[in-house]
Amino acid sequence: MVSGEAPQAEGSVRVDAWIWAVRLTKTRSQAAAACRAGHVRVNGERAKPAQALRTGDEVRLRHAGRDRIVVVSRVVKKRVGPPVAAECFVDNSPPPPPREAAFQVPVRDRGTGRPTKRDRREMERLQGRGPDPDQGPPSGSGRGAAEGR
């Protein structure tokens, strides 16, 4: 084996170990937890951490708020460096969203205290999460609806 070359596995390797070895997750326990939570799919099927992975398999990983779609081009058992890890899969992931599209947290002035109900509704309306003020209160709300008035 030439120095800098990744160790080649015979046939197959565990999904969680491969995801960690090619640096799709930071730790092996994160990779196993993603498998157990159903965030990893191999060839369209939910994968358990110990599922065998072979060359040519498609791995879909939902991690850090982003979908990664990779095709296994080389099976490795041990963690490898970033240049070698990039050679172990073909990345078919959609491009990440631009930074402007990322969720922005509203900032309040220091010392203004807790937002009032009116402030909270205004923040939600600006973020596009709250109801339109033109529509009025949601149906079924208030004491009158609960009492049957």
Side-chain angles (χ1 to χ4, degrees):
M1 177 168 30
V2 180
S3 70
E5 188 176 317
Q8 187 77 15
E10 293 297 322
S12 65
V13 68
R14 290 173 57 114
V15 173
D16 61 342
W18 186 83
I19 289 172
W20 166 74
V22 296
R23 298 175 175 263
L24 293 177
T25 60
K26 285 186 178 184
T27 66
R28 179 143 174 214
S29 62
Q30 281 181 344
C35 290
R36 284 191 300 271
H39 299 298
V40 178
R41 293 186 175 272
V42 176
N43 298 325
E45 302 286 327
R46 280 181 66 166
K48 292 184 178 179
Q51 180 174 333
L53 190 67
R54 292 180 172 77
T55 304
D57 286 344
E58 180 190 66
V59 178
R60 291 176 176 259
L61 170 68
R62 176 90 176 145
H63 180 68
R66 184 171 173 221
D67 284 326
R68 299 290 305 265
I69 303 168
V70 296
V71 177
V72 180
S73 59
R74 190 159 79 185
V75 177
V76 291
K77 286 186 177 178
K78 298 202 174 196
R79 192 163 172 96
V80 293
V84 178
E87 298 170 1
C88 294
F89 61 87
V90 178
D91 196 354
N92 296 330
S93 305
R99 287 192 166 259
E100 297 83 38
F103 179 72
Q104 295 182 359
V105 178
V107 179
R108 291 182 48 85
D109 293 331
R110 188 178 171 123
T112 57
R114 184 174 173 179
T116 62
K117 184 183 267 189
R118 182 177 183 181
D119 292 339
R120 180 184 54 80
R121 287 183 176 159
E122 182 67 20
M123 286 188 289
E124 288 177 354
R125 187 184 62 76
L126 289 173
Q127 293 172 356
R129 296 188 306 186
D132 271 342
D134 301 335
Q135 292 180 354
S139 62
S141 65
R143 288 189 347 196
E147 294 173 3
R149 291 186 195 174

